[in-house]
Amino acid sequence: MEISLIFLLYFVYLVIRYFTMDHDTPAEKDRVRFEKGIVLLQQRDYEGAYDYFNQAVRQNPKSALAYACRGKCQLALQNHYSAIYDLTQAINRDNTLADCYLDRGIAYYTVEQYQDAFREFDKAVWHFRGEQPDAYRWRAIARLQLSQHTQAESDLNRAVMLGDENSAFMLQQPPFMRGMVNQ
């Protein structure tokens, strides 16, 4: 009897705790906190956004989103090694930010570190759960540099299925034109 009462009280405690808890992740809270800087990023004011997120990183050194956005600005401003650093810091703080893997892969690709770029694009495909055509297209581009033409064609076909017109165009270029695939 006493045991069933304890279980009943514990169940009531769990229900109350569930409904009174804050269910927002730190990244969701940061999106609200850094909304002004995110708007600057969306407007492609990369220098203004960089200044905003540089200050945000100083004030919130544990914020993965602040590092991720500053890394995105660095990438747009062609500071590839700084972008790699910032995106690595973001991933170290929150390894669920899928955009960080894609952006870091682009930075690695730009500095001609194709194996590292491929690894990051592969992680991006996984984190996006296969729903982001850009990740497939970039992984295919990295695979072309690594002479993995058949797998690159497969990635491009998957991106086309997700609606990516750039991948459809790439499939009509060498080495993907019928009869020209190097295996």
Side-chain angles (χ1 to χ4, degrees):
M1 177 79 171
E2 293 84 20
I3 292 176
S4 59
L5 181 62
I6 290 173
F7 280 123
L8 178 65
L9 289 174
Y10 184 69
F11 178 74
V12 170
Y13 164 76
L14 289 177
V15 169
I16 291 171
R17 181 171 166 88
Y18 176 79
F19 285 112
T20 59
M21 278 182 58
D22 183 15
H23 294 284
D24 292 339
T25 65
E28 290 169 342
K29 291 176 186 176
D30 283 348
R31 284 189 210 295
V32 172
R33 183 184 324 166
F34 303 133
E35 186 175 352
K36 180 180 175 187
I38 292 171
V39 168
L40 290 173
L41 259 177
Q42 291 169 344
Q43 294 173 347
R44 297 179 187 218
D45 179 8
Y46 297 116
E47 291 178 6
Y50 173 78
D51 292 337
Y52 180 88
F53 286 111
N54 194 35
Q55 188 66 26
V57 165
R58 287 188 186 130
Q59 293 174 352
N60 304 290
K62 293 183 180 181
S63 172
L65 188 65
Y67 275 105
C69 291
R70 188 171 79 170
K72 192 175 282 290
C73 293
Q74 296 277 24
L75 186 61
L77 295 171
Q78 305 294 314
N79 301 326
H80 303 293
Y81 290 105
S82 296
I84 292 169
Y85 172 80
D86 282 341
L87 294 165
T88 301
Q89 293 301 314
I91 290 170
N92 287 342
R93 285 161 176 75
D94 183 358
N95 65 356
T96 63
L97 297 174
D99 284 332
C100 290
Y101 293 105
L102 183 60
D103 292 339
R104 190 163 70 163
I106 293 169
Y108 277 131
Y109 184 86
T110 306
V111 297
E112 299 179 0
Q113 294 180 12
Y114 303 120
Q115 189 66 43
D116 291 331
F118 169 75
R119 188 173 24 256
E120 295 304 313
F121 296 138
D122 200 36
K123 291 176 187 176
V125 166
W126 187 85
H127 280 282
F128 279 120
R129 309 282 191 268
E131 299 299 322
Q132 171 61 281
D134 291 342
Y136 281 107
R137 180 172 18 91
W138 275 104
R139 186 169 73 173
I141 292 169
R143 281 186 161 161
L144 287 173
Q145 293 296 328
L146 299 172
S147 299
Q148 299 174 357
H149 298 287
T150 305
Q151 295 95 333
E153 183 176 17
S154 175
D155 280 345
L156 290 173
N157 283 324
R158 177 72 176 140
V160 168
M161 287 176 24
L162 293 172
D164 187 31
E165 294 178 11
N166 292 330
S167 296
F169 177 76
M170 287 179 68
L171 282 170
Q172 298 187 10
Q173 305 301 315
F176 301 114
M177 293 171 28
R178 294 290 166 227
M180 296 186 70
V181 175
N182 297 329
Q183 296 184 13

